[in-house]
Coordinates of all heavy atoms in Angstrom, one line a residue:
R1109 N 4.2 4.3 2.2 CA 3.3 3.9 1.2 C 1.9 3.8 1.7 O 1.7 3.1 2.7 CB 3.7 2.6 0.5 CG 5.2 2.5 0.0 CD 5.4 3.5 -1.1 NE 4.8 3.2 -2.4 CZ 4.8 4.0 -3.4 NH1 5.2 5.2 -3.3 NH2 4.2 3.6 -4.5
L1110 N 1.0 4.5 1.1 CA -0.4 4.6 1.5 C -1.3 4.2 0.4 O -1.1 4.4 -0.8 CB -0.7 6.0 2.0 CG 0.1 6.6 3.1 CD1 -0.2 8.1 3.3 CD2 -0.2 5.9 4.4
D1111 N -2.4 3.5 0.8 CA -3.4 3.2 -0.2 C -4.2 4.4 -0.6 O -4.1 5.4 0.1 CB -4.4 2.2 0.5 CG -5.2 1.4 -0.6 OD1 -5.0 1.6 -1.8 OD2 -6.1 0.6 -0.2
A1112 N -4.8 4.4 -1.7 CA -5.5 5.6 -2.2 C -6.9 5.2 -2.7 O -7.2 4.1 -3.1 CB -4.7 6.2 -3.4
D1113 N -7.8 6.2 -2.6 CA -9.2 6.1 -3.1 C -9.4 7.1 -4.2 O -9.6 8.3 -3.9 CB -10.2 6.3 -1.9 CG -11.6 6.2 -2.4 OD1 -11.9 5.2 -3.1 OD2 -12.5 7.0 -1.9
F1114 N -9.2 6.7 -5.4 CA -9.3 7.6 -6.6 C -10.7 7.8 -7.0 O -11.5 6.9 -7.0 CB -8.5 7.0 -7.8 CG -7.0 6.8 -7.5 CD1 -6.5 5.6 -7.2 CD2 -6.2 7.9 -7.5 CE1 -5.1 5.4 -6.9 CE2 -4.8 7.8 -7.2 CZ -4.3 6.5 -6.9
D1115 N -10.9 9.1 -7.4 CA -12.3 9.5 -7.8 C -12.7 8.7 -9.1 O -13.8 8.2 -9.2 CB -12.4 11.0 -8.1 CG -12.3 11.8 -6.8 OD1 -12.6 11.3 -5.8 OD2 -11.9 13.0 -6.9
S1116 N -11.7 8.5 -10.0 CA -12.0 7.8 -11.2 C -11.7 6.3 -11.0 O -10.7 6.0 -10.4 CB -11.2 8.3 -12.4 OG -11.2 7.5 -13.5
K1117 N -12.6 5.4 -11.4 CA -12.3 4.0 -11.4 C -11.5 3.5 -12.6 O -11.3 2.4 -12.8 CB -13.6 3.2 -11.3 CG -14.4 3.5 -10.0 CD -13.5 3.3 -8.7 CE -14.2 3.7 -7.4 NZ -13.3 3.5 -6.2
K1118 N -11.2 4.5 -13.5 CA -10.4 4.2 -14.7 C -9.0 4.5 -14.6 O -8.1 3.9 -15.1 CB -11.0 4.9 -15.9 CG -12.5 4.6 -16.2 CD -13.1 5.5 -17.2 CE -13.2 6.9 -16.8 NZ -14.2 7.1 -15.7
T1119 N -8.7 5.6 -13.8 CA -7.3 6.1 -13.7 C -6.8 6.0 -12.3 O -7.4 6.5 -11.3 CB -7.3 7.5 -14.2 OG1 -7.7 7.6 -15.6 CG2 -5.8 8.1 -14.2
A1120 N -5.6 5.5 -12.1 CA -4.9 5.4 -10.9 C -3.5 6.1 -11.1 O -3.0 6.2 -12.2 CB -4.7 4.0 -10.3
S1121 N -2.9 6.6 -10.0 CA -1.6 7.3 -10.1 C -0.7 6.8 -9.0 O -1.1 6.4 -7.9 CB -1.7 8.8 -10.0 OG -2.3 9.2 -8.8
I1122 N 0.6 6.8 -9.3 CA 1.6 6.2 -8.4 C 2.8 7.3 -8.4 O 3.3 7.6 -9.4 CB 2.2 4.9 -8.9 CG1 1.0 3.9 -9.0 CG2 3.2 4.4 -7.9 CD1 1.4 2.6 -9.6
S1123 N 3.1 7.7 -7.2 CA 4.3 8.5 -7.0 C 5.6 7.7 -7.1 O 5.7 6.8 -6.3 CB 4.3 9.3 -5.7 OG 3.2 10.2 -5.7
I1124 N 6.5 7.9 -8.0 CA 7.7 7.1 -8.2 C 8.9 7.8 -7.6 O 9.9 7.2 -7.3 CB 7.9 6.6 -9.6 CG1 8.2 7.8 -10.5 CG2 6.7 5.8 -10.1 CD1 8.8 7.4 -11.9
T1125 N 8.8 9.2 -7.6 CA 9.9 10.0 -6.9 C 9.2 11.1 -6.1 O 8.1 11.5 -6.4 CB 10.8 10.6 -8.0 OG1 10.1 11.6 -8.7 CG2 11.4 9.6 -8.9
Y1126 N 10.0 11.6 -5.1 CA 9.6 12.7 -4.4 C 10.7 13.7 -4.4 O 11.9 13.4 -4.4 CB 9.2 12.3 -2.9 CG 8.0 11.4 -2.8 CD1 8.2 10.0 -2.9 CD2 6.8 11.9 -2.6 CE1 7.1 9.1 -2.7 CE2 5.7 11.0 -2.4 CZ 5.9 9.7 -2.5 OH 4.8 8.8 -2.4
G1127 N 10.3 15.0 -4.3 CA 11.4 16.0 -4.3 C 12.0 16.4 -5.6 O 11.7 15.8 -6.6
C1128 N 12.9 17.3 -5.6 CA 13.6 17.7 -6.8 C 15.0 18.3 -6.5 O 15.2 19.0 -5.5 CB 12.7 18.8 -7.5 SG 13.3 19.4 -9.1
N1129 N 15.9 18.0 -7.4 CA 17.3 18.5 -7.2 C 17.7 19.6 -8.2 O 18.8 20.0 -8.3 CB 18.3 17.3 -7.4 CG 18.2 16.3 -6.3 OD1 17.6 16.6 -5.2 ND2 18.9 15.2 -6.5
N1130 N 16.7 20.0 -9.0 CA 17.1 20.9 -10.2 C 17.2 22.4 -9.8 O 18.0 23.1 -10.5 CB 16.0 20.7 -11.3 CG 16.1 19.4 -11.9 OD1 17.1 18.8 -12.2 ND2 14.9 18.7 -12.1
F1131 N 16.5 22.9 -8.9 CA 16.6 24.3 -8.4 C 16.4 25.2 -9.6 O 17.3 26.1 -9.8 CB 17.9 24.5 -7.7 CG 17.8 23.9 -6.3 CD1 18.4 22.6 -6.1 CD2 17.3 24.5 -5.2 CE1 18.3 22.0 -4.9 CE2 17.2 23.9 -4.0 CZ 17.8 22.6 -3.8
C1132 N 15.4 25.0 -10.4 CA 15.1 26.1 -11.4 C 14.8 27.4 -10.7 O 14.2 27.4 -9.6 CB 13.8 25.7 -12.2 SG 14.0 24.1 -13.1
T1133 N 15.3 28.5 -11.2 CA 15.3 29.7 -10.4 C 13.9 30.3 -10.2 O 13.8 31.2 -9.3 CB 16.2 30.8 -11.1 OG1 15.7 31.0 -12.5 CG2 17.6 30.3 -11.2
Y1134 N 12.9 29.8 -10.9 CA 11.5 30.3 -10.7 C 10.7 29.5 -9.8 O 9.6 29.8 -9.4 CB 10.8 30.4 -12.0 CG 10.9 29.2 -12.8 CD1 10.0 28.1 -12.6 CD2 11.8 29.0 -13.8 CE1 10.0 26.9 -13.3 CE2 11.8 27.8 -14.6 CZ 11.0 26.8 -14.3 OH 11.0 25.6 -15.0
C1135 N 11.2 28.3 -9.3 CA 10.4 27.3 -8.7 C 10.7 27.1 -7.2 O 11.9 27.0 -6.8 CB 10.7 26.0 -9.4 SG 9.6 24.6 -8.9
I1136 N 9.7 27.0 -6.4 CA 9.8 26.8 -5.0 C 9.8 25.4 -4.6 O 10.1 25.0 -3.4 CB 8.6 27.6 -4.3 CG1 8.9 27.8 -2.8 CG2 7.3 26.8 -4.5 CD1 10.0 28.8 -2.5
V1137 N 9.5 24.4 -5.5 CA 9.3 23.0 -5.1 C 10.4 22.4 -4.4 O 10.2 21.7 -3.4 CB 8.9 22.2 -6.4 CG1 9.0 20.7 -6.1 CG2 7.5 22.5 -6.9
P1138 N 11.7 22.5 -4.8 CA 12.8 21.9 -4.0 C 12.9 22.3 -2.6 O 13.3 21.6 -1.7 CB 14.0 22.3 -4.8 CG 13.6 22.7 -6.2 CD 12.2 23.3 -6.0
Y1139 N 12.4 23.5 -2.3 CA 12.4 24.0 -0.9 C 11.3 23.5 0.0 O 11.4 23.5 1.2 CB 12.4 25.6 -0.9 CG 13.5 26.2 -1.7 CD1 13.2 26.6 -3.1 CD2 14.7 26.4 -1.2 CE1 14.2 27.2 -3.8 CE2 15.8 26.9 -2.0 CZ 15.5 27.3 -3.3 OH 16.5 27.9 -4.1
V1140 N 10.2 23.0 -0.7 CA 9.1 22.5 0.1 C 8.9 21.0 0.0 O 8.3 20.4 0.9 CB 7.8 23.2 -0.3 CG1 7.8 24.7 0.1 CG2 7.4 23.1 -1.8

């Protein structure tokens, strides 16, 4: 878990999951 410095002082984001198990046939994301 790392602190973040967001460009906008209005909007922050939080990663709640990492990775993917779906293996859509067009997508490289699960592999990387």
